[in-house]
Amino acid sequence: MTGVTGVAGVPATAGEGAGTAAPDAGAPLVRVRGVHRTYGSGRAAVHALRGVDLDVAPGELVALVGRSGSGKTTLLNVVGGLDRPDAGSVHVDGTDVATLDAAGQVRLRRDVVAFVFQTFGLVPVLSAAENVAVPLRLRALPVADRERRVALLLRLVGLDGHAALRPDELSGGQQQRVAIARALAGSPRLLIADEPTGQLDTETGLAVMALIRAVVEAEGMAAVVSTHDPVMIGLADRAVRLVDGRVLPA
């Protein structure tokens, strides 16, 4: 996406994809093969993932569904480089995530993967605009470029009139929209969202999911979203169901 105009005319930031190999044209953006992840040992061991396979194409929105404890969050963390599998392989945008060192993991989360969490994760003392700007500061983007991109992203999520407000001055839905704008700041290739509407009412949650859907289509990124809501699952291109750490056949 480097040099490509993003959503609503937002230019992609420089440095995108640093440290990753160029994927084959038409290849899945995410390719998970035979992934296992176990916590603990012996009789107390929890087998969170048991031989999981998953492909996600660019421009595709995949919903991960399943009961609590089915392995959804573990799979998201493994794909995003927040956790390592015990066995199997995880490739994201041509990079073998499971083999990255600490510096490689930082580059992955800075340049390729963005996260949206149920708890928003905004910095309380920063304004909405300052929260969105955090990833751009980490990239040392020039001030004028940073301010322009932040303004456009806040307009994209419908909060251009709330730029100066801090998180405690925003509703839950508005805070989640700021979190999405922050996730998009670095023009990621993959958006990972773990129950992003879990703390929102149905109407607001649906609006947030519709926003993610629109962003995926416009930017051509991939998105993997865990959710329990059947209405929100309906907005995805497909649903992947996990049961006891295994993906059920489609």
Side-chain angles (χ1 to χ4, degrees), residues 2-248:
T2 303
V4 176
T5 299
V7 173
V10 183
T13 57
E16 184 179 334
T20 63
D24 294 335
L29 186 71
V30 176
R31 187 175 180 86
V32 177
R33 288 294 179 270
V35 164
H36 291 258
R37 184 68 173 101
T38 299
Y39 301 102
S41 60
R43 299 180 66 179
V46 175
H47 301 285
L49 298 175
R50 306 170 187 247
V52 169
D53 295 338
L54 177 68
D55 285 350
V56 183
E60 184 177 29
L61 172 57
V62 173
L64 290 184
V65 300
R67 294 182 177 181
S68 296
S70 62
K72 301 189 304 298
T73 295
T74 300
L75 180 55
L76 292 178
N77 288 343
V78 166
V79 170
L82 298 179
D83 197 0
R84 291 184 183 272
D86 298 316
S89 63
V90 179
H91 287 81
V92 176
D93 200 28
T95 295
D96 187 347
V97 174
T99 64
L100 291 176
D101 58 13
Q105 290 176 337
V106 169
R107 286 194 298 271
L108 178 80
R109 294 192 288 269
R110 184 192 64 196
D111 299 330
V112 181
V113 179
F115 296 87
V116 176
F117 299 103
Q118 182 179 154
T119 53
F120 315 141
L122 302 178
V123 182
V125 298
L126 298 183
S127 68
E130 290 167 339
N131 267 283
V132 175
V134 167
L136 302 178
R137 286 180 177 274
L138 294 176
R139 288 187 171 195
L141 197 69
V143 174
D145 292 340
R146 184 171 70 229
E147 291 179 347
R148 182 166 58 252
R149 183 160 177 81
V150 167
L152 288 169
L153 285 167
L154 287 174
R155 189 181 311 149
L156 166 67
V157 299
L159 292 176
D160 45 326
H162 298 71
L165 299 183
R166 289 193 291 269
D168 62 0
E169 299 173 298
L170 300 170
S171 68
Q174 289 171 333
Q175 290 183 59
Q176 191 61 292
R177 287 173 176 267
V178 173
I180 292 171
R182 181 183 59 188
L184 296 175
S187 301
R189 296 279 289 141
L190 173 64
L191 181 67
I192 293 177
D194 192 7
E195 296 285 353
T197 61
Q199 296 194 42
L200 307 177
D201 61 74
T202 300
E203 183 178 355
T204 304
L206 183 57
V208 167
M209 278 297 289
L211 173 60
I212 293 175
R213 165 83 271 172
V215 165
V216 168
E217 291 179 351
E219 292 253 306
M221 71 176 69
V224 184
V225 180
S226 67
T227 182
H228 289 93
D229 193 318
V231 176
M232 296 169 195
I233 294 168
L235 289 173
D237 293 303
R238 60 188 171 97
V240 173
R241 184 171 297 278
L242 278 81
V243 175
D244 296 331
R246 295 186 175 92
V247 172
L248 292 187

